[in-house]
Amino acid sequence: MGVTEGYFGGEDDSEDELDERRDLFRYVTADNASEYLAVMDQFTQTLLADLSAAEVSEALAKRGILLSPEDTENRCASLVRWKNLMPSARDPRVPTVAALRHTRARFQVTRLGGTVHRQVSKVLQMRDGAREVARELLGSMAVLLSKILSRALQPRTINAEALAADVTTVFTNQAYFADSIRDFYAYLSSVLVRYDLAGEEYASFKGLLLEYVHLIDTDVSRHSPVVLKCLEDLQPVLDHVLSALDSLPGLASADGAPVERLPGRQYNDWAELLAWYSGGDGMSGPAQLRAAAESALGQLLTNARRMLTPGGTGGARRSDLMHLAGLFAQASVEEAHRGFAAAFGAYPARHVSFGPEEADPRDTASTSWWDAGPVDVPVSLRERGDRTARGRTARVPDPGMDIARLQEEAARDLAARQTAGAELAASGALDGTRLTPAARDLLLELVSMALTKELSPSQAVRVEDVDLNIAVEIAESDTDTVIRSDDGDTTFLALAVTARPGNTPAESGTDGPAGSGEGRTPPSTAGGVQ
C-alpha cells in the first residue's frame, strides 16, 4: 500500500538522503551487532525513552549482557552517527561532576530508527515455517466497505469518527491480508523447488496444498467481487468520505514538514486498493492468487511424476544426507576426509587405463589429465546417475583404424629419429657444433649409455646404434665440449665427444680394433627401432 516507500524514500529524495537511510541498517551487520541490538531494545521497549549510557549499561547487566558504560556510550555514539539515535537536550540534576560527565550524554531513539528496529526484531523472531493467511479479513472488508458506502451516500449525517475507524480498519486488514498471502506463497515456493520432497513429507505437503490453497482460493473468489463492487460504487462519492475524514483533528508538523497520514485519507490510497482488486493496467490480486495456485499444483504434479518415473531417483536423498552429516559431525579430521572421498567419489585425479581397448595406450596412470585425451562418459551416467544399459548392444568396434593410426604415428617417430641420427652422424667433432633439439636429445641418449661403461684416460668409449647407423665416442679431455642448440647450450665437462656414421672405423684408442665389433651396443640395448 505504499507505506514502505513513505518510510524509506521516494523518487524525490536525493542520493545523500537515501544513503543516510541505508545507514539505518548498518548496526544489524556491523561488528558487535548483538550489542547494538541489545542497546536498541532498551530504547524501543518503552515510549519516550531518554537514557544515558550508564543507565543502558545497568539495564543490560540485568539481562546478563555485560557492557561497560564506556563501551555503551561508544555504541550509542555510532547509532547517533547512523541516525538510529539522537542526543537528548535535557540537562539532568546530578550530585557530582563525575556523574554529570556520564549523565549529560543522554540519547533518544529517532522515528526512522525505531521503525527499522521493530522491523529487524520482527524478522529475527520469525519462523521458517508456513504462516496462516488471514482469509477471514476479506469478508470483514466487504461488510465495512458496505457501511462506508452507505454513510457516503448520506453526507449530511456522516459520523466522521465511525467512518474513520472503518476506513482505517479496511486498509489495515488489506495490508495484513496481502502480507500474509505473500509470506504463504513464498513458503510454498521454497518447498516446491526441493528435489528431495517425497514420502510422508510429500503427502503432508500435498494435503496442505490441495486443501488450504483451495480454501484460500474459495474465499477470495467469494468475497473479492463484493469488495470490488463496493470500491467501484465508492468512486463517485469518494469526495464525501475524504471531506469527512479531513474534518477530524489531525497532526500538523511544527516545522512545516509533511506529515505521513493514515491510509485511506488520500485519493491514491483508494486508487491502489481498487487496482489491487480490479487489476488496473496489470493482473489483479485475485488473479495472481489463482495463477500462483495453478503454478503450485503444476509443480506438485511434476514432483509426483518424478517420483513415479522408473528412471528417476525413486525417493528423497535428504535422510541419507542428514545421516552422512551426522557421521561427519562425529568423525575426526582424517576420518572425515576418507568418508567424503568415499561418499562423493572425490579421489585424486588420475588417468585409469582401460586395457587393450584404450584408444591411446600411451595414456597411463602417470599421465596428467592436462595431457591425456578425454574419456567418454555414458549419457545415462552423466545426466541421471544411472548405470542401467539402454538400447541395443553396440557393435564390436573395428580396430583397423586404430591400428593404422598407431602405425602412422610410429612411422613418423622413426622418420624423425632417423633424420636426427643422420644430422648427428655428419657432425664429427661436436665441440662448437650447432644441433637441432632432436639431434641433441639423441646425443644425450647415446652419451648416457656410454657413461655407463668404465671411462679411463687412456681409452675412449664408443657406443653405436646399428639401426640409425651412428656411433658416438667420448674420451676424457682437458677441455669441455659445448654443443649449441636453439633451446640452449649443452656442456660436457672435461669430455671430448665425437659422432660419425656407424660404419666408420674407430680411431686409435677405442675399445677394440676397428671393425672388430667390440664396444658396440646391440640394437635392443642401443634403443634402435626394431
Side-chain angles (χ1 to χ4, degrees):
M1 301 302 297
V3 177
T4 303
E5 181 180 352
Y7 283 154
F8 300 117
E11 297 179 355
D12 298 334
D13 291 334
S14 63
E15 189 65 27
D16 293 339
E17 293 176 346
L18 293 178
D19 290 339
E20 290 182 358
R21 296 188 178 185
R22 295 188 188 101
D23 287 342
L24 291 167
F25 297 89
R26 291 185 60 179
Y27 77 99
V28 182
T29 57
D31 296 337
N32 303 314
S34 59
E35 297 177 358
Y36 285 113
L37 291 170
V39 171
M40 288 298 297
D41 286 340
Q42 296 300 318
F43 283 96
T44 56
Q45 64 184 359
T46 58
L47 300 177
L48 296 178
D50 183 274
L51 303 173
S52 65
E55 293 172 345
V56 174
S57 177
E58 182 180 354
L60 293 178
K62 295 179 180 179
R63 295 171 48 186
I65 303 175
L66 301 179
L67 195 63
S68 65
E70 290 77 11
D71 292 338
T72 305
E73 187 169 354
N74 293 332
R75 304 292 181 267
C76 293
S78 298
L79 292 170
V80 169
R81 187 170 64 256
W82 297 330
K83 307 300 183 183
N84 299 94
L85 299 179
M86 62 181 179
S88 176
R90 184 171 66 90
D91 292 332
R93 295 189 179 185
V94 292
T96 62
V97 176
L100 177 65
R101 184 175 64 85
H102 294 287
T103 310
R104 284 183 61 88
R106 304 184 69 85
F107 306 94
Q108 293 179 343
V109 66
T110 61
R111 172 177 172 267
L112 293 179
T115 302
V116 167
H117 188 69
R118 285 192 297 270
Q119 293 180 350
V120 169
S121 300
K122 181 180 178 181
V123 171
L124 294 178
Q125 295 173 2
M126 288 179 63
R127 297 181 179 179
D128 295 334
R131 174 188 177 186
E132 289 187 346
V133 177
R135 55 184 182 83
E136 64 276 1
L137 296 180
L138 285 175
S140 175
M141 288 176 59
V143 174
L144 291 174
L145 286 173
S146 299
K147 293 172 59 178
I148 294 173
L149 178 60
S150 62
R151 289 193 179 98
L153 294 176
Q154 299 176 358
R156 294 185 179 180
T157 59
I158 289 181
N159 185 345
E161 292 288 347
L163 178 64
D166 292 340
V167 170
T168 302
T169 304
V170 166
F171 281 88
T172 302
N173 290 350
Q174 172 63 23
Y176 190 84
F177 172 72
D179 289 342
S180 62
I181 281 288
R182 283 191 290 266
D183 290 346
F184 177 74
Y185 277 93
Y187 167 75
L188 284 185
S189 176
S190 65
V191 176
L192 287 173
V193 297
R194 284 176 46 189
Y195 191 78
D196 62 339
L197 187 64
E200 296 181 358
E201 191 176 10
Y202 175 83
S204 61
F205 184 72
K206 180 181 66 175
L208 166 69
L209 190 58
L210 295 179
E211 297 176 5
Y212 198 72
V213 172
H214 176 70
L215 184 62
I216 296 173
D217 185 67
T218 301
D219 288 342
V220 172
S221 300
R222 182 172 68 251
H223 296 297
S224 60
V226 180
V227 174
L228 178 60
K229 183 65 170 57
C230 293
L231 291 174
E232 291 175 345
D233 295 340
L234 268 172
Q235 296 304 309
V237 294
L238 191 57
D239 291 337
H240 301 322
V241 175
L242 297 179
S243 299
L245 295 176
D246 290 339
S247 65
L248 294 174
L251 179 65
S253 178
D255 56 357
V259 177
E260 182 181 349
R261 305 194 64 187
L262 292 174
R265 271 64 175 174
Q266 298 177 354
Y267 283 99
N268 291 337
D269 298 337
W270 292 94
E272 292 179 5
L273 183 60
L274 177 62
W276 197 90
Y277 286 94
S278 65
D281 297 334
M283 185 180 295
S284 65
Q288 292 182 24
L289 291 179
R290 287 190 289 270
E294 294 175 359
S295 177
L297 291 174
Q299 185 62 40
L300 188 68
L301 293 177
T302 301
N303 289 339
R305 286 195 298 268
R306 174 185 58 79
M307 290 188 296
L308 297 176
T309 301
T313 59
R317 301 300 302 274
R318 184 173 185 271
S319 59
D320 297 337
L321 294 176
M322 293 297 293
H323 176 68
L324 183 61
L327 295 179
F328 281 141
Q330 301 174 1
S332 62
V333 177
E334 294 77 9
E335 293 174 344
H337 283 297
R338 292 197 301 269
F340 184 86
F344 298 100
Y347 297 101
R350 296 178 63 85
H351 182 91
V352 180
S353 177
F354 293 103
E357 298 180 358
E358 183 77 19
D360 192 345
R362 292 177 298 182
D363 292 343
T364 62
S366 60
T367 304
S368 171
W369 277 105
W370 292 104
D371 303 326
V375 177
D376 293 332
V377 179
V379 177
S380 60
L381 180 61
R382 182 173 64 248
E383 296 184 354
R384 296 182 292 271
D386 184 12
R387 296 179 175 85
T388 304
R390 290 178 171 83
R392 296 178 300 177
T393 303
R395 297 173 56 186
V396 177
D398 183 10
M401 297 183 63
D402 290 337
I403 293 175
R405 178 178 59 82
L406 295 175
Q407 289 177 346
E408 292 177 359
E409 292 179 357
R412 287 195 299 268
D413 293 343
L414 177 59
R417 189 174 178 85
Q418 289 176 345
T419 301
E423 177 188 358
L424 185 59
S427 300
L430 296 178
D431 187 21
T433 304
R434 175 173 289 274
L435 299 177
T436 61
R440 186 269 321 277
D441 293 340
L442 178 59
L443 173 65
L444 292 176
E445 178 183 341
L446 296 175
V447 169
S448 63
M449 295 169 57
L451 291 177
T452 59
K453 299 183 178 182
E454 183 178 358
L455 186 63
S456 62
S458 59
Q459 293 181 340
V461 178
R462 176 186 175 95
V463 175
E464 183 175 349
D465 191 319
V466 178
D467 294 332
L468 297 181
N469 192 26
I470 182 176
V472 172
E473 298 176 358
I474 62 173
E476 292 186 353
S477 174
D478 296 335
T479 59
D480 300 336
T481 298
V482 179
I483 300 173
R484 307 191 183 280
S485 185
D486 293 339
D487 55 355
D489 297 342
T490 303
T491 303
F492 297 93
L493 300 177
L495 289 177
V497 184
T498 305
R500 54 173 53 89
N503 54 8
T504 302
E507 297 178 357
S508 59
T510 58
D511 289 348
S516 64
E518 284 188 35
R520 291 192 176 190
T521 304
S524 59
T525 307
V529 179
Q530 300 298 319

